[in-house]
Amino acid sequence: MKDNNCIFCKIAAGEIPSKTVYEDEMFRVILDLGAASEGHALILPKEHYANLMELDEKTAAAVLPLAGKISKAMMKGLNCDGLNLVQNNGEEAGQTVMHFHLHMIPRYKGGAEVIEWKPGNPKAEEMEATAEKIKAAL
Ligand code: AMP
Ligand code: ZN
């Protein structure tokens, strides 16, 4: 299904031009207009899924092999030193376009910091309670 109001649906369908690096029947991979580093790309499914929770299993199963393929091409073609995969779900998590996408961000020695968080120090009993909450919801 497509969403007529979704910019990534239109880009994935080729209705809005993009710098495409890969395309097949399920996905289009484009360069991010606000690239965090040289080669920052987005894997877009051609069908509309708002986020990871809505993604269908077939698409989900195909995303990581494709990310692996693009990663190898980035390492070879861009000569990057590593890369981060980032996938935001929900506004609070930084998602600004509500069409599932996987960021692929090449990293270069001495390059800008891209992903940072301050490590916390949860107590063992807090971790136990947290784990129980997730397990109970599975
Ligand atoms: P997120 O914050 O995870 O939703 O990421 C959305 C990303 O889409 C941002 O990194 C934007 O720079 C990028 N973006 C938004 N519009 C376009 C566009 N038309 N073409 C390419 N990248 C885009
Ligand atoms: Zn969409």
Side-chain angles (χ1 to χ4, degrees):
M1 221 183 74
K2 312 277 186 278
D3 178 335
N4 286 335
N5 298 313
C6 173
I7 186 169
F8 279 4
C9 278
K10 295 192 171 97
I11 290 174
E15 291 162 16
I16 292 179
S18 63
K19 198 53 80 185
T20 295
V21 299
Y22 175 86
E23 185 183 5
D24 62 24
E25 62 286 347
M26 285 177 89
F27 299 101
R28 182 185 293 271
V29 183
I30 65 167
L31 292 186
D32 192 306
L33 275 184
S37 69
E38 187 196 357
H40 180 170
L42 303 171
I43 297 183
L44 311 179
K46 291 188 173 179
E47 294 295 313
H48 182 85
Y49 306 101
N51 52 40
L52 179 63
M53 292 73 82
E54 289 194 2
L55 201 61
D56 80 319
E57 287 195 8
K58 184 170 173 246
T59 309
V63 164
L64 212 51
L66 176 56
K69 181 186 175 81
I70 303 291
S71 298
K72 286 177 201 152
M74 285 177 162
M75 296 298 288
K76 192 171 160 193
L78 297 172
N79 209 21
C80 57
D81 300 300
L83 54 96
N84 295 111
L85 300 190
V86 179
Q87 202 277 305
N88 299 325
N89 295 284
E91 276 178 38
E92 281 306 311
Q95 185 178 6
T96 58
V97 181
M98 299 302 158
H99 175 124
F100 174 93
H101 51 282
L102 180 61
H103 292 262
M104 303 198 55
I105 310 177
R107 301 295 298 273
Y108 302 89
K109 278 194 188 87
E113 286 288 336
V114 175
I115 318 280
E116 286 182 276
W117 66 81
K118 276 202 195 111
N121 188 21
K123 295 187 176 66
E125 57 271 26
E126 290 168 349
M127 290 179 71
E128 181 62 30
T130 302
E132 287 308 320
K133 282 188 216 170
I134 299 169
K135 282 154 67 178
L138 284 173

